């Protein structure tokens, strides 16, 4: 699926792979898993392969889509693109050669800015030296709790122009967070019927670390039964920081 996105920190999504397996507590209420089930029921072509019922679900089996690789080449207007909103590009079942093809498309479409996010940070670190890292690729890892801070260390080994963290759904405090080498942090609470509450002090501590280290900070949402239930205001204002977007022929634009 390649379309405009409702995700606050991006503009479009591009899914050259779909499907995944739950790998950490942050995956417990995976929106993509639930959405894939609905898309399968609607007959969507990309979501007909089922995953392991213990870790995945209907329509969420890991599938590569070579036919989707060239979609960004057809977008005339520059876009900020979230890569694989419906899977994890660094899942072990995505062949290295396909990951390299995705990175090649990103390198050959410098008018777009790509945001790639993974929980499989070890595989990311292992493959990093075999991938192109053009300046329009931003690489991020999810950090939902202090237990997974090794993902940030793996990310620091990657020569991406912009390294970022997605602390969403934030499930606990991050007292040991080190932002060395990190340009951007997104934080937010969980949404949906089984959402787990986020303590405001957890997110304030992350924001304060960002402010004191000069790291861009984006507060996505408090969470609740729906994504908009708790709003986006933190201490009386919104926090929409993000790195500057570099586009060929354009002066940098602060986001
Ligand atoms: S890694 Fe991401 S896409 Fe995969 S199951 Fe977890 S939350 Fe869902």
């Amino acid at each position: 699926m390649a379309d405009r996105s409702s995700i606050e920190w991006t503009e479009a999504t591009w899914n050259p792979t779909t499907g995944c397996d739950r790998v950490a507590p942050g995956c417990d209420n995976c929106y993509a898993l639930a959405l894939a089930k609905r898309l399968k029921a609607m007959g969507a072509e990309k979501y007909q392969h089922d995953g392991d019922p213990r870790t995945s679900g209907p329509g969420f089996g890991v599938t590569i889509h070579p036919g989707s690789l060239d979609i960004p080449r057809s977008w005339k207007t520059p876009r900020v693109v979230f890569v694989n909103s419906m899977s994890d590009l660094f899942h072990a079942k995505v062949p290295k050669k396909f990951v390299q093809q995705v990175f090649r498309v990103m390198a050959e479409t410098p008018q777009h800015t790509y945001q790639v996010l993974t929980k499989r940070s070890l595989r990311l670190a292992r493959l990093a030296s075999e991938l192109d890292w053009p300046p329009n690729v931003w690489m991020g890892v999810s950090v939902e709790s202090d237990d997974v801070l090794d993902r940030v260390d793996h990310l620091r080994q990657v020569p991406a122009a912009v390294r970022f963290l997605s602390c969403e759904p934030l499930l606990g405090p991050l007292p040991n967070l080190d932002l060395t080498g990190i340009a951007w942090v997104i934080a937010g609470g969980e949404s949906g019927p089984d959402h787990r509450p986020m303590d405001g002090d957890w997110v304030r501590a992350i924001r304060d670390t960002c402010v004191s280290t000069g790291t861009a900070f984006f507060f996505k949402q408090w969470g609740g039964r729906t994504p908009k239930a708790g709003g986006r205001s933190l201490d009386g204002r919104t926090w929409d920081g993000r790195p500057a977007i570099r586009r060929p022929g354009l002066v940098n634009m602060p986001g």
Side-chain angles (χ1 to χ4, degrees):
M1 189 172 294
D3 210 343
R4 296 287 171 183
S5 174
S6 60
I7 301 170
E8 286 83 351
W9 46 266
T10 197
E11 292 173 359
T13 54
W14 170 43
N15 284 292
T17 76
T18 54
C20 197
D21 290 281
R22 283 182 291 241
V23 75
C27 302
D28 284 358
N29 296 316
C30 172
Y31 76 93
L33 199 156
L35 181 56
K37 185 178 177 183
R38 291 206 300 275
L39 289 167
K40 178 183 174 166
M42 290 161 59
E45 200 183 322
K46 277 182 156 178
Y47 301 92
Q48 296 306 312
H49 173 45
D50 294 344
D52 183 331
R54 292 166 300 180
T55 55
S56 181
F60 209 50
V62 177
T63 315
I64 64 169
H65 302 283
S68 295
L69 273 174
D70 288 333
I71 287 172
R73 298 185 200 276
S74 68
W75 294 335
K76 301 287 178 252
T77 311
R79 290 180 175 185
V80 180
V81 184
F82 180 26
V83 181
N84 280 338
S85 62
M86 293 297 290
S87 67
D88 187 331
L89 185 60
F90 291 91
H91 192 292
K93 289 183 182 165
V94 179
K96 179 173 81 176
K97 206 169 168 190
F98 195 77
V99 178
Q100 289 171 320
Q101 286 177 291
V102 170
F103 271 72
R104 198 163 310 127
V105 172
M106 295 193 287
E108 290 173 0
T109 51
Q111 71 272 29
H112 303 311
T113 301
Y114 293 95
Q115 299 161 328
V116 185
L117 181 62
T118 188
K119 285 188 176 69
R120 271 88 175 174
S121 57
L122 187 57
R123 187 168 188 229
L124 162 69
R126 286 181 174 153
L127 290 187
S129 64
E130 299 180 67
L131 301 171
D132 295 332
W133 290 100
N136 62 326
V137 173
W138 299 5
M139 188 68 230
V141 295
S142 304
V143 183
E144 63 270 34
S145 70
D146 219 42
D147 302 337
V148 296
L149 284 178
D150 58 333
R151 293 182 193 154
V152 188
D153 293 328
H154 295 148
L155 179 63
R156 270 189 273 270
Q157 299 170 28
V158 175
V162 171
R163 299 186 200 90
F164 71 97
L165 309 182
S166 171
C167 304
E168 188 204 2
L170 188 60
L171 301 178
L174 303 178
N176 300 303
L177 183 63
D178 171 7
L179 293 179
T180 305
I182 305 301
W184 188 30
V185 177
I186 300 160
E190 192 166 47
S191 56
D194 300 317
H195 67 275
R196 293 161 282 185
M198 177 179 68
D199 188 320
D201 287 344
W202 303 342
V203 75
R204 285 188 185 96
I206 295 170
R207 176 203 57 195
D208 293 347
T209 305
C210 286
V211 169
S212 67
T213 57
T215 308
F217 176 70
F218 190 101
F219 182 54
K220 189 175 162 218
Q221 61 186 34
W222 284 100
R225 280 196 62 81
T226 66
K228 295 193 188 310
R232 295 194 55 226
S233 177
L234 172 62
D235 295 336
R237 55 162 284 195
T238 53
W239 299 79
D240 291 324
R242 75 181 80 196
I245 292 174
R246 295 167 193 276
R247 284 174 176 152
L250 268 187
V251 176
N252 283 351
M253 297 168 59

